[in-house]
Amino acid sequence: MLALAVRRGASGARRAQTTLLSRATATRPALSRTAMPKLPTTTPTKRTFLAMPQGDALPVIGGLIGVNVAVWGGWKVADPRVMTAHFTLCNEDVVAAPHTLVTSAFSHSDGWHLLGNMVTLFFFGPEVVGAIGARHFLAVYFGAGLTANCAQLAANALEDSRRHAYWKRPSPRCLGASGAVNAAVAHSILLSPWRLIVIFAEFLPIPMPAILYGGAFLAKDLGPLLDVHIPYISDRAHGVAHGAHVGGTLVRFPASGDAPFSRALMICFT
């Protein structure tokens, strides 16, 4: 009888202990849910093909496009001599009009020239604004425009030095935002070198990796600068400021999201 009572007492104690443990365990999830609520999962929105820029990119890209369009409109209504003097760049006049190092980067020769640069800025610019911020993007854009114009002045001087004195002539007047826009394109490509880009050659869509497009983008201007004939490209090289294109392409602000491969490419470029 004594042994049976002891066993019953021990088993009762174990049941009580088990009941207490189960109650404590049952209350833990409720306490943890109350103390540490789950954060809602968010998925970053992706910009579709024809979507408008988002956030800071909207005023930055929209403002740059607006200024370029306004200057192009000035060519339609203002005195062409005034526009030529203040919105084109020339080696002989740059000392007397240094502001043309900046203003010529917002000027375009015709509507197609303007359209090509602004469409490129619209598609490549917003991604770069999101990666490096609006302030740094504007610094890169203006810095690339200035660098591109200085590079073109150097290219003009080099080309003129190769001519015989009898054949020397005033350097051509240059204008366009291509150098600044090329910096945005280079930034976008190096942020994601292996993504697929579709380009149109004579209205024929051609998909290719972004880094391959970037190489061809740079080669089409390096070839004429180095007097290397490139089939199909060299035939259309007349009247193009290749020095400005290359100079603007090489201006870059390092972004924290850059892949190691893109950092290595940038070291090779510079």
Side-chain angles (χ1 to χ4, degrees), residues 128-129 131-143 187 252-254:
V128 184
V129 175
I132 66 177
R135 184 178 63 180
H136 289 148
F137 178 84
L138 289 173
V140 167
Y141 188 91
F142 281 92
H187 269 69
R252 181 161 164 72
F253 183 88

Side-chain angles (χ1 to χ4, degrees), residues 116-177:
N117 278 333
M118 296 303 101
V119 167
T120 304
L121 179 62
F122 177 84
F123 284 114
F124 286 94
E127 180 185 12
V128 184
V129 175
I132 66 177
R135 184 178 63 180
H136 289 148
F137 178 84
L138 289 173
V140 167
Y141 188 91
F142 281 92
L146 182 61
T147 302
N149 283 335
C150 291
Q152 186 58 40
L153 291 177
N156 290 343
L158 179 61
E159 183 179 358
D160 190 59
S161 67
R162 293 174 178 173
R163 296 193 186 100
H164 188 273
Y166 180 79
W167 299 106
K168 287 185 182 296
R169 60 180 184 270
S171 63
R173 289 192 170 272
C174 305
L175 72 170

